[in-house]
Amino acid sequence: MAGDATGTSWARRAWLPLLAAVLALSTAQPASAAGGDARPTLRFGGDADYPPYHFLDDAGHADGFDVALTRAIADDLGMDAAFELGDWGDALEGLERGDVDLVPMFWSEARSRRFVFTEPILLRHHGLFGHYETPTVESLEALANVRVAVQESGLAWEALRELDRPGVTIIALDNEAETLALVARGGADYALAPTGIGYHAIQNSHLPGIVALSPPLLERKYVFGLARGNERLAARINDSLEHLRRDGVQNRLYVEWIGGPAPPDRAGGPRPAPATLWILGALAAVLLGGLTWLSRGRDRTRPAAARGSPPIVPDPQLMAELRESIAAGSLGFALQPKVDLRSGRVIGAELLARWDHPRLGPLAPDAFVPMAERMGCIGEMTLHLVRRGLEHGRDWPVAAGRLHVSINVSANDLADSALVDAILEACSGGGPSLMLEVTETEVMREPERVAVALPRLRAHGIRISVDDFGAGHSSLVNLRRLGPDELKIDRSFVGALLASHSDRAIVRATIHLGHELGAKVAAEGIEDEATRDWLMRAGCDIGQGYALHRPMSPADFLALLHARA
Ligand code: C2E
Ligand code: CA
Ligand code: CA
């Protein structure tokens, strides 16, 4: 889970500067201050958590491409190398003070006034990363009304501040991996990060669904920066770099650390499941192939076979296993309580599909729902989950009141009259009331198909929620015609609403709109009490999110209802 991965990375960061300081005390001597027979020392400064370029491994040792290259340079110059890795801002200041001799960094105009640079060691660029359903962006100038997470004092931070676009909220964090984790939690729309770092963080922090959404941006030379006045050392390093290039050493290190087929899990994070790897690999290939798929799927939407399949080539074995699992009815689900914000009462639960894969472990819906859509067995999956959700709901205590179970469906499902028949049949056995969640984008894409199914569903007491509301493009005419029972505000507006005036304005307007249309308004992705209180005061009816309840097993949900009843 993204939150857990982030917790670990923060915990790691808390002790890294301390460890770095201890290491620095025990190993560093200035390049110029070596006495006797001891070799002079080349002192390297940098970030403690910047894999695969430079970082401290779990044992507290410096490692990575920049570190290996610096060792090779020091060796070539007849020096020892010492590494001081800690906070990134401190590394830059330490370089100016002369505490270290060199810090690898992106070239920038502003930095060229502070430091002298060696010849480039690499050519690197940044990219905008976000959820795969977030619109792609061609350039930084095209950003509008979005929250972008960047590392404080990093090149991306410098560039966005210089650009100074109204409507672009910069969220500055200590660490680049943390910018991607924030996006995964819905707290920012994009992370602007060096491309290699971005892919590394997605893999090591296990952030499925986060992908690159821009062509290469901020293409820059990656160089060693040295303090002004240190031009002689810079010239010696340049000579060394020339030797290392000539002898193929630099290239070998590049392939080992960055350009190889499968970067090793050096940062100690959990290894992603192979399913995640193929999705990431395929998306990376798509990106290199010119962003063709991404420019088709600009809206935040639940993938559906009817809209053309994303060009991912899933593992055939996994596809066969999913088909079997759906046919055998062994796909599981979690329930996340939906709460009446005013009374605090549980009024229902959203059913979230779960696949506990025998080899790969638990897989999130993003890893298999799109696959079920591509294989054309999503309808079968939906029906299975509707049946299981209703069946489970028949065990809920009467004292809990009449609750509803909310199930995610695609517009395609609703267009399938045989499936609608089967859903109505499943409801005839009694149990909780059923609500179907369809994303805003799908409703708007297929308004006719949804409108045809609606009267039949309504006649049987089944309600419709427009999911991810605000993330797509609604036509008010279609919305009025649909007459939804619930508008569910997309979590990208909820996560950081206390920090964003525009998010608060959008949420307030949605609450009014929903009520005008006679719908209840739900907010998902509520991660703290203050956000819940604000939403309640703003008139939002229903809340869902980690601050209220995390998704839980059906047994735990039952226990919760009994405890409340
Ligand atoms: P969704 O419909 O927007 O579902 C809510 C997602 O937000 C769930 O992720 C839930 O675990 C997560 N969530 C809940 N509270 C919070 C919070 O406070 N903060 C954050 N950051 N996230 C929160 P999950 O279970 O991974 O589901 C992801 C998506 O997969 C769903 O998004 C839905 O689009 C799709 N999905 C899940 N189950 C099904 C299903 O049975 N059928 C279909 N067609 N799609 C499904
Ligand atoms: Ca949903
Ligand atoms: Ca949603």
Side-chain angles (χ1 to χ4, degrees), residues 302 350-352 406-408 437-439 465 467-468 488 491 524 544:
R302 201 168 281 154
E350 178 173 1
L351 184 148
L352 298 160
S406 241
I407 299 195
N408 294 288
E437 298 192 9
V438 197
T439 64
S465 171
D467 200 0
D468 298 348
K488 199 170 202 187
R491 63 179 180 274
E524 64 181 356
Q544 193 180 333

Side-chain angles (χ1 to χ4, degrees), residues 103-427:
V103 172
M105 64 179 80
F106 282 103
W107 182 96
S108 84
E109 189 70 51
R111 287 173 182 173
S112 70
R113 289 191 287 272
R114 285 171 79 186
F115 306 112
V116 293
F117 294 134
T118 62
E119 292 295 313
I121 46 180
L122 291 174
L123 187 63
R124 292 179 56 198
H125 40 72
H126 279 55
L128 285 161
F129 289 85
H131 193 268
Y132 70 89
E133 293 170 332
T134 306
T136 57
V137 179
E138 291 302 314
S139 68
L140 293 181
E141 287 73 19
L143 289 171
N145 300 321
V146 288
R147 299 157 304 161
V148 184
V150 292
Q151 183 189 41
E152 180 147 27
S153 305
L155 178 69
W157 179 78
E158 276 180 15
L160 282 186
R161 279 166 38 118
E162 219 161 90
L163 196 67
D164 194 22
R165 275 188 64 78
V168 174
T169 308
I170 302 174
I171 304 177
L173 302 174
D174 285 347
N175 176 275
E176 236 128 25
E178 177 61 15
T179 65
L180 279 102
L182 184 71
V183 170
R185 294 198 305 273
D189 304 300
Y190 299 96
L192 180 58
T195 320
I197 301 289
Y199 285 124
H200 208 87
I202 289 168
Q203 182 172 329
N204 283 336
S205 305
H206 189 44
L207 307 173
I210 302 300
V211 297
L213 293 165
S214 73
L217 302 170
L218 300 175
E219 190 170 74
R220 291 283 188 289
K221 292 182 274 194
Y222 190 59
V223 294
F224 286 119
L226 288 85
R228 296 204 144 267
N230 227 352
E231 284 78 2
R232 266 203 57 208
L233 182 59
R236 291 178 65 205
I237 292 174
N238 281 339
D239 288 344
S240 247
L241 282 170
E242 205 177 308
H243 303 160
L244 297 174
R245 262 185 232 122
R246 182 193 61 204
D247 299 342
V249 174
Q250 182 171 353
N251 197 62
R252 179 175 56 71
L253 294 176
Y254 180 88
V255 170
E256 182 183 334
W257 282 100
I258 303 162
D265 185 31
R266 312 262 179 177
R271 273 185 181 281
T276 316
L277 282 181
W278 64 250
I279 292 173
L280 287 177
L283 288 175
V286 169
L287 198 77
L288 293 172
L291 292 158
T292 40
W293 167 61
L294 291 165
S295 58
R296 249 189 288 144
R298 293 179 85 88
D299 292 328
R300 181 177 158 82
T301 162
R302 201 168 281 154
R307 288 195 308 277
S309 318
I312 48 181
V313 189
D315 173 349
Q317 190 187 346
L318 202 63
M319 286 169 64
E321 287 166 343
L322 179 61
R323 199 185 289 280
E324 261 169 46
S325 183
I326 291 172
S330 60
L331 213 57
F333 62 92
L335 291 170
Q336 186 174 33
K338 292 173 76 176
V339 172
D340 177 308
L341 284 175
R342 262 172 298 269
S343 68
R345 266 178 13 121
V346 174
I347 55 159
E350 178 173 1
L351 184 148
L352 298 160
R354 294 288 182 262
W355 185 19
D356 196 6
H357 190 278
R359 245 177 326 112
L360 306 173
L363 297 181
D366 287 346
F368 64 90
V369 170
M371 205 158 66
E373 287 176 338
R374 282 169 54 85
M375 295 190 304
C377 53
I378 185 74
E380 205 182 327
M381 183 186 110
T382 301
L383 183 60
H384 161 68
L385 291 173
V386 165
R387 284 186 180 139
R388 290 207 51 196
L390 290 171
E391 192 180 283
H392 171 71
R394 288 180 194 125
D395 294 337
W396 293 347
V398 178
R402 182 117 204 271
L403 308 183
H404 71 267
V405 59
S406 241
I407 299 195
N408 294 288
V409 298
S410 64
N412 231 20
D413 287 338
L414 296 183
D416 177 347
S417 63
L419 179 65
V420 172
D421 286 345
I423 291 177
L424 296 179
E425 156 92 46
C427 286

Side-chain angles (χ1 to χ4, degrees), residues 43-79:
R43 299 162 310 164
F44 172 111
D47 192 319
D49 199 6
Y50 196 66
Y53 296 91
H54 55 267
F55 59 92
L56 291 177
D57 67 14
D58 284 343
H61 299 128
D63 217 343
F65 171 79
D66 302 337
V67 169
L69 185 65
T70 302
R71 285 208 175 97
I73 292 169
D75 212 37
D76 188 63
L77 295 176
M79 298 170 86

